[in-house]
Amino acid sequence: MARQLPYMTLREVFRRFEAASAHPEGELHHSNAYTLLVAVALSAQATDVGVNKATRDLFPIADTPEKMLALGEEGLVQHIKTIGLYRNKAKNVIKMARILVDDYGGEVPNSRAALQGLPGVGRKTANVVLNMWWHFPAQAVDTHIFRVGNRSGICPGKDVVAVERAIEDNIPVDFQLHAHHWLILHGRYVCVARKPKCAACLIRDLCEFEEKNL
């Protein structure tokens, strides 16, 4: 685990990320808060590309909890069976739809506690929805952010909660809204797991990674 980068270094890290991509966006396709919630829930242990392929035909016919209930679990399975753990995910999505209809008037709640009370929704999924739909500076820590944060010193921590706390406590507030997207995309395309592309990295001179591949 790298040491935590100092404040002014962090400002420069995120200044560079912002200069390269001022408004980074998530790669899961969605049209409203509900389809975003479902897409993120489906993306656990699956790629965004795979989820987008599965939902391309699903969301036009089931973009509300009511429509998802009408489609039913078996109907949903037919759309998502190319995604890992699809049976369990289908059960959770249908249970989630029922709760949203019965308890929330068909609307997706915008509190972390309420979101995490839904089947198949953990802290990471809740944070993604809060950030992407309601523009709350919630930090959804996935494997990419965990790796980048610990390699670089941007947000080191022994587990995802510690990394989330390191982002909230140390990254300047004016960069927090987009911080997790910058870090995810950096981890997905540059600071990759096996052979990080350090020579192409925007922050290679600021990074604490001792095994830089230059």
Side-chain angles (χ1 to χ4, degrees), residues 13 40 47 52 64-65 91-92 97 119 123 155 159 162 187 189 204:
V13 165
V40 180
T47 66
N52 288 338
T64 68
K91 284 184 172 62
N92 282 335
R123 187 178 182 88
C155 46
D159 54 40
Y189 298 111
R204 60 186 176 273

Side-chain angles (χ1 to χ4, degrees), residues 6-207:
Y7 176 80
M8 291 308 295
T9 304
L10 285 172
R11 283 209 67 86
E12 177 59 16
V13 165
F14 285 93
R15 185 199 66 77
R16 294 183 191 182
F17 284 153
E18 184 179 54
S21 177
H23 301 287
E25 295 182 354
E27 297 182 322
L28 287 171
H29 297 165
H30 61 281
S31 59
N32 56 27
Y34 177 66
T35 53
L36 174 61
L37 176 61
V38 171
V40 180
L42 292 177
S43 72
Q45 299 183 44
T47 66
D48 288 359
V49 171
V51 172
N52 288 338
K53 284 183 179 178
T55 59
R56 181 173 53 207
D57 295 326
L58 170 65
F59 286 160
I61 62 171
D63 61 351
T64 68
E66 294 85 354
K67 292 177 183 177
M68 191 67 75
L69 288 173
L71 180 63
E73 186 176 323
E74 285 306 312
L76 174 57
V77 162
Q78 296 308 307
H79 286 278
I80 67 170
K81 59 186 177 182
T82 56
I83 299 174
L85 307 175
Y86 69 92
R87 282 281 177 192
N88 191 52
K89 289 177 181 178
K91 284 184 172 62
N92 282 335
V93 169
I94 295 300
K95 289 178 183 176
M96 179 199 303
R98 172 51 61 195
I99 292 171
L100 289 175
V101 169
D102 290 348
D103 296 349
Y104 297 99
E107 300 293 325
V108 175
N110 63 353
S111 86
R112 183 185 284 119
L115 286 167
Q116 286 188 247
L118 298 171
V121 178
R123 187 178 182 88
K124 187 184 83 169
T125 295
N127 282 347
V128 171
V129 175
L130 290 171
N131 182 282
M132 288 182 64
W133 193 256
W134 283 288
H135 309 297
F136 182 79
Q139 308 302 330
V141 178
D142 68 353
T143 56
H144 296 301
I145 293 181
F146 187 80
R147 179 177 66 253
V148 172
N150 279 293
R151 269 183 181 171
S152 65
I154 292 172
C155 46
K158 67 183 187 305
D159 54 40
V160 294
V161 174
V163 170
E164 181 181 333
R165 185 66 55 81
I167 296 173
E168 293 174 345
D169 289 349
N170 297 297
I171 291 176
V173 67
D174 45 320
F175 294 118
Q176 293 228 356
L177 178 60
H178 296 308
H180 95 274
H181 276 130
W182 282 318
L183 292 170
I184 286 172
L185 295 171
H186 191 64
R188 187 172 288 168
Y189 298 111
V190 181
C191 194
V192 294
R194 293 189 179 179
K195 291 185 178 180
K197 302 172 184 177
C198 299
C201 177
L202 287 172
I203 60 166
R204 60 186 176 273
D205 57 317
L206 306 174
C207 172

